[in-house]
Amino acid sequence: MLNPSSPVSVQCSEDSMVVTVQRDFYGNGRLVNPSDLLLGTCTAGSQSSGTTVVFQIALQECGSNLEMTSDILIYKINLSYAPTASSNVPIIRSSPAVVPIWCYYPRFGNVSSNAIKPTWAPFSTTVSSEERLSFSLTLMTEDWSAPRPSLVYQLGEIFYIEALVDMENHVPMMLFVDSCVATLTPDETSNPHYDIITYNGCLMDGMLGDSSSAFVSPRPEANKLRFTVDAFRFMNSDLSLIYITCHLRAADINQTPDPMNKACSYNKATSR
């Protein structure tokens, strides 16, 4: 933590951050020009004064980046100081600077929105999420209106599967299904096994000639994905019970499709 004279302080809340910068940025008595400061791509707000420059932004604004681990959401953005010369004077008297600002949001825990002062080196602030992210995977009726009352299928029928992340009071997010594997036991690593979805969102089952499996497009909501899989069973096994284990992941609501974030179906007509 910095001492009270730190030139930069940060407060993270559930869906926004407030960054306050002392205009005496280097502690040498020379006040920086507020227009020389940027938080990501954004300029300071109207809360600025003669001694401080204040930025108040939503977590997903101003070019911030969201990174995720299995336990933590991390919003990252840079505070940049780029001094400009005075009118008709081709010199500057201070050095540019970049201060990385990170807000950590553990996926589980209680909210704590007290102001946190960062370190001058790359730093982080810690605020807990107010609600849990709740994931679910449900076998649905053919019209997707309700959970299917029976889990018994005949070959030739179709699994209608709905994946959902219930965000409650969390900031909006987009759901992805990274993988789904079918096995004869609850252990997803057991043999035999069959990869239904793999490669971070490719519905591989749809490539088979006797399959119509596909994601439902467009998705009904950002936090929901639906896909169909033609019913099957394992060869050379008398067991009729199969287990389907899927890995679900939530990402930034503005995430554009890329190799790690996608929901791809196979198009037999174009072989793509």
Side-chain angles (χ1 to χ4, degrees):
M1 303 292 288
L2 274 181
N3 60 44
S5 62
S6 169
V8 181
S9 63
V10 177
Q11 181 175 356
C12 294
S13 60
E14 181 184 344
D15 59 358
S16 64
M17 69 173 71
V18 178
V19 178
T20 303
V21 185
Q22 299 297 321
R23 289 191 63 194
D24 188 2
F25 194 72
Y26 289 112
N28 57 10
R30 292 195 179 103
L31 303 185
V32 302
N33 187 340
S35 64
D36 292 343
L37 292 166
L38 287 176
L39 185 61
T41 59
C42 291
T43 57
S46 59
Q47 307 95 322
S48 300
S49 67
T51 58
T52 61
V53 180
V54 180
F55 300 83
Q56 183 170 0
I57 67 169
L59 291 177
Q60 298 172 352
E61 287 182 344
C62 304
S64 66
N65 293 315
L66 172 64
E67 295 184 8
M68 290 190 298
T69 69
S70 58
D71 301 314
I72 298 172
L73 303 173
I74 311 169
Y75 286 90
K76 296 183 177 182
I77 195 168
N78 287 336
L79 172 71
S80 303
Y81 171 54
T84 54
S86 302
S87 177
N88 299 320
V89 179
I91 64 170
I92 56 176
R93 298 188 187 275
S94 57
S95 300
V98 175
V99 182
I101 294 179
W102 297 7
C103 283
Y104 280 118
Y105 288 81
R107 288 184 169 185
F108 309 101
N110 296 319
V111 70
S112 173
S113 58
N114 294 327
I116 299 174
K117 295 182 179 179
T119 58
W120 183 248
F123 59 85
S124 63
T125 58
T126 302
V127 180
S128 300
S129 59
E130 184 179 42
E131 300 289 348
R132 291 176 179 270
L133 285 175
S134 177
F135 294 89
S136 64
L137 195 69
T138 307
L139 289 167
M140 304 292 288
T141 56
E142 184 176 355
D143 61 1
W144 303 101
S145 62
R148 195 174 191 268
S150 172
L151 302 183
V152 177
Y153 290 84
Q154 302 293 325
L155 294 180
E157 294 185 321
I158 295 176
F159 303 146
Y160 294 87
I161 303 175
E162 180 176 274
L164 172 72
V165 55
D166 185 355
M167 297 169 298
E168 299 181 345
N169 292 333
H170 198 279
V171 294
M173 302 195 77
M174 181 170 289
L175 178 71
F176 292 97
V177 180
D178 283 344
S179 64
C180 284
V181 60
T183 53
L184 291 174
T185 75
D187 180 3
E188 62 179 296
T189 65
S190 63
N191 286 311
H193 69 271
Y194 175 62
D195 291 321
I196 300 171
I197 297 175
T198 188
Y199 301 120
N200 295 99
C202 288
L203 211 167
M204 305 301 290
D205 184 63
M207 297 182 68
L208 299 182
D210 58 355
S211 171
S212 62
S213 303
F215 283 103
V216 175
S217 181
R219 64 169 73 212
E221 299 172 46
N223 66 321
K224 184 183 296 183
L225 262 180
R226 291 170 173 170
F227 59 99
T228 61
V229 177
D230 293 80
F232 61 89
R233 61 173 297 170
F234 284 95
M235 293 175 57
N236 303 320
S237 174
D238 294 330
L239 298 177
S240 60
L241 177 65
I242 64 172
Y243 296 83
I244 297 178
T245 304
C246 297
H247 288 221
L248 312 182
R249 178 170 52 84
D252 184 351
I253 186 69
N254 297 314
Q255 176 67 54
T256 56
D258 62 29
M260 296 297 294
N261 300 277
K262 58 185 183 296
C264 292
S265 302
Y266 184 72
N267 187 325
K268 288 187 172 68
T270 60
S271 298
R272 298 180 61 187

